[in-house]
Amino acid sequence: MHDDTRSVTRLSVSLEGYDSLTVPIHRASTIRYPDAASFAARFERSADGYVYGLYGTPTHRYLEKKITELEEGARTLLVPSGQAAVACSILALVAAGEKVLIPDTVYGPVRDFATHELAALGIEAVFYDPVDLCALGSLIDARTRLVWTESPGSITLEMQDIPAIVLMAHAKGALVGCDNTWASPLNFRPIRHGVDIVAEALSKHFSGHSDLVLGSITTRDDTLGLKLKASLGRLGIGTSPDDCVLLARGLETLAVRLERSNASGLQIAAWLAGHPCVEMVIHPALPGNPGHEIWKRDFSGACGVFTFALKEQYADQAFVALDALQLISIGASWGGTKSLIAPSTVKGLRTVRPWTGPDYLFRVNVGLEHPDDLKDDLARFFTALTESERNEPRTAFSG
Ligand SMILES: *Cc1c(COP(=O)(O)O)cnc(C)c1O
């Protein structure tokens, strides 16, 4: 055999005695077939079999199975992002001429997807008040194929009564989907409450280290899962096994990370609630918050992601004061080890349920730092806020 041939031919090494604790990275485009007959019959392989890299390798199967177990579903599909998880769920289930109902408090880019892509495809997207069950009930008609939910909602964290929505939707023949990113299956199991399809932005809590973008879709029954799998394959949507392995690694510490960031988050939320500059703290796990009763009834825990609002007189100084933070980074996304703060306004984003609270909102992701250090850092922010209040306002609060 010539050296060039020798260089490209595959050889086997012994795996005897090799039994590690890690998830192996199986990278592949091509899958080899033992003979021409099995190649010809490749599409008859089971849905979990191997046909081509796009449809998954053993690394993908590992992660799919893990998430399916946690969600208590029938099948999980991995997609390139949380946004893709929501978009592909809707695209795979709703056809032209049919209707999807979307909560007014949905993750912002999903609203954009609805007004651009869904509209262009002739799929009617109707936004609904996430907490008004009567209004939602009157919107579900014979053309409604899917009721999408996200609980708690983005930024303002409205809790939805998922079991009640499931009853209403199923009674009228519509499916229910849920973006479960805030809770993760460790704190809420939508499928147990009757939801048909669950989307997770794995980029957040699951990955846990702010270093990858990935999403998952888990279905309640396998028929729906297979339909979705076929659709994703035709659309050419797949994920990298390297990302899946990183995700599988993050997943191993999900429970302890959630517990820690939740405990620190509750401490900091309570501290903020007592601060003279703070108008309100929005955290479903805090007694007295709207939605707290639903959270207590349906969820088994919370996370370190919550929102607080400043008193109006501090609004103009808020942007400058944020620069005083030394430990907490300014940035979107969440679920990582490092604490983040994202200033946002929602008034312009809501079309059905106007936001009547203060519009100077700060979404906080409490990471794994010591809560006392985080409080010290936030104290720097408040000092800058009250100091600059005495000076000229320099930057207006926006976006
Ligand atoms: C971040 C997020 C998404 C999108 O996830 P990406 O992986 O960033 O695309 C979807 N839904 C919710 C609730 C999110 O917070």
Side-chain angles (χ1 to χ4, degrees):
M1 197 184 282
H2 295 89
D3 281 350
D4 43 8
T5 307
R6 202 191 302 278
S7 300
V8 300
T9 49
R10 194 181 134 176
L11 57 76
S12 318
V13 294
S14 166
L15 292 178
E16 199 195 325
Y18 178 74
D19 187 7
S20 87
L21 290 167
T22 60
V23 182
I25 306 179
H26 290 280
R27 305 180 53 87
S29 52
T30 300
I31 306 294
R32 284 203 306 167
Y33 295 84
D35 49 49
S38 30
F39 180 71
R42 65 193 181 281
F43 292 113
E44 288 154 34
R45 289 188 168 187
S46 87
D48 293 319
Y50 303 105
V51 175
Y52 179 55
L54 175 66
Y55 312 129
T57 70
T59 304
H60 297 92
R61 296 292 175 267
Y62 176 90
L63 190 54
E64 288 164 2
K65 200 169 163 186
K66 237 335 165 222
I67 297 175
T68 301
E69 274 179 20
L70 289 172
E71 302 277 8
E72 297 178 0
R75 179 172 294 277
T76 294
L77 290 321
L78 299 167
V79 290
S81 66
Q83 173 73 1
V86 181
C88 293
S89 297
I90 298 175
L91 280 181
L93 298 180
V94 192
E98 294 181 335
K99 216 157 92 173
V100 53
L101 305 181
I102 298 176
D104 204 29
T105 45
V106 78
Y107 175 67
V110 170
R111 178 183 289 273
D112 295 339
F113 165 73
T115 50
H116 291 86
E117 277 67 27
L118 292 183
L121 290 167
I123 295 170
E124 191 186 349
V126 177
F127 292 92
Y128 69 91
D129 182 329
V131 301
D132 187 342
L133 289 174
C134 289
L136 174 60
S138 67
L139 288 173
I140 307 174
D141 59 17
R143 281 197 306 123
T144 307
R145 181 79 183 114
L146 177 66
V147 178
W148 193 255
T149 63
E150 181 183 323
S151 182
S154 274
I155 304 172
T156 43
L157 304 173
E158 288 83 354
M159 291 295 301
Q160 295 196 262
D161 191 338
I162 304 283
I165 292 173
V166 165
L167 275 178
M168 267 178 359
H170 286 176
K172 294 188 179 173
L175 296 168
V176 177
C178 178
D179 183 333
N180 193 42
T181 303
W182 186 86
S184 93
L186 269 58
N187 286 326
F188 181 56
R189 300 245 153 101
I191 288 173
R192 209 186 265 183
H193 293 269
V195 164
D196 303 284
I197 185 162
V198 182
E200 304 275 357
L202 302 178
S203 325
K204 309 284 173 58
H205 298 312
F206 272 87
S207 95
H209 295 78
S210 315
D211 54 3
L212 68 94
V213 177
L214 208 63
S216 66
I217 305 169
T218 304
T219 59
R220 173 187 191 69
D221 70 68
D222 207 31
T223 313
L224 197 57
L226 290 174
K227 183 180 146 107
L228 205 74
K229 186 178 166 75
S231 172
L232 292 175
R234 289 189 296 264
L235 288 166
I237 293 171
T239 58
S240 155
D242 299 73
D243 287 346
C244 292
V245 160
L246 264 185
L247 202 287
R249 177 177 165 142
L251 179 49
E252 295 188 15
T253 55
L254 176 59
V256 287
R257 285 186 287 103
L258 275 176
E259 224 176 278
R260 174 65 195 262
S261 59
N262 178 41
S264 304
L266 284 170
Q267 246 193 65
I268 289 165
W271 179 78
L272 283 168
H275 197 282
C277 294
V278 172
E279 176 71 27
M280 68 193 292
V281 173
I282 313 170
H283 193 321
L286 285 184
N289 253 252
H292 176 68
E293 293 307 317
I294 292 179
W295 174 81
K296 216 163 71 178
R297 185 192 66 192
D298 296 344
F299 285 42
S300 57
C303 65
V305 177
F306 66 92
T307 298
F308 72 92
L310 289 176
K311 294 210 164 113
E312 193 167 351
Q313 69 259 36
Y314 298 109
D316 286 342
Q317 287 82 21
F319 259 38
V320 176
L322 274 180
D323 297 344
L325 292 170
Q326 292 171 11
L327 186 60
I328 304 172
S329 300
I330 300 168
S333 194
W334 37 267
T337 58
K338 296 166 182 63
S339 292
L340 301 173
I341 193 162
S344 41
T345 61
V346 296
K347 279 207 166 109
L349 299 176
R350 308 285 189 249
T351 54
V352 183
R353 180 184 167 80
W355 173 248
T356 53
D359 213 18
Y360 320 110
L361 299 173
F362 295 84
R363 207 237 343 256
V364 183
N365 169 65
V366 174
L368 303 184
E369 304 93 339
H370 195 288
D372 290 347
D373 291 331
L374 294 173
K375 281 183 218 162
D376 287 348
D377 205 34
L378 285 166
R380 282 182 200 107
F381 166 67
F382 288 122
T383 304
L385 202 59
T386 44
E387 269 170 8
S388 63
E389 190 197 17
R390 284 176 237 122
N391 306 322
E392 286 285 286
R394 279 174 290 170
T395 316
F397 193 101
S398 65

